[in-house]
Amino acid sequence: EAREEYRVEIAGTGGGIVRTETVSEQAFLYDAAVIAADFPVPPAEIDVTVRQFGVATGWGLPATRRFALP
C-alpha cells in the first residue's frame, strides 16, 4: 500500500462501539483519560476491532480481540 491506515473500534463486551479512531501506524494508545470518557464505569474487559485500509479494497476484514483492563 502507498500508505498505512487502520480503523480501530472500541466496544464494551457485548455492547456497542463507543470510540472509532483512524491511525496511520500499527499502534494505538488507549489511555486512562480516554477510557474514563468512554466508560463512566470502567469495564473489566473491552473488545477492540481493527481493519486495514486498502486503496483497491477499502476497509478490510475485521480482526477482533478482547482485552482485560487493569
Side-chain angles (χ1 to χ4, degrees):
E1 293 293 335
R3 68 177 200 255
E4 281 191 74
E5 194 169 356
Y6 304 90
R7 178 181 291 158
V8 180
E9 298 172 338
I10 307 292
T13 56
I17 296 168
V18 297
R19 177 168 299 273
T20 301
E21 298 283 342
T22 301
V23 296
S24 60
E25 58 188 10
Q26 296 177 13
F28 174 74
L29 177 63
Y30 194 41
D31 66 29
V34 178
I35 293 170
D38 290 345
F39 298 99
V41 176
E45 298 178 319
I46 58 171
D47 291 332
V48 179
T49 300
V50 179
R51 300 171 191 260
Q52 183 176 8
F53 182 79
V55 174
T57 59
W59 293 108
L61 297 173
T64 302
R65 295 290 299 270
R66 182 163 287 168
F67 294 94
L69 295 180

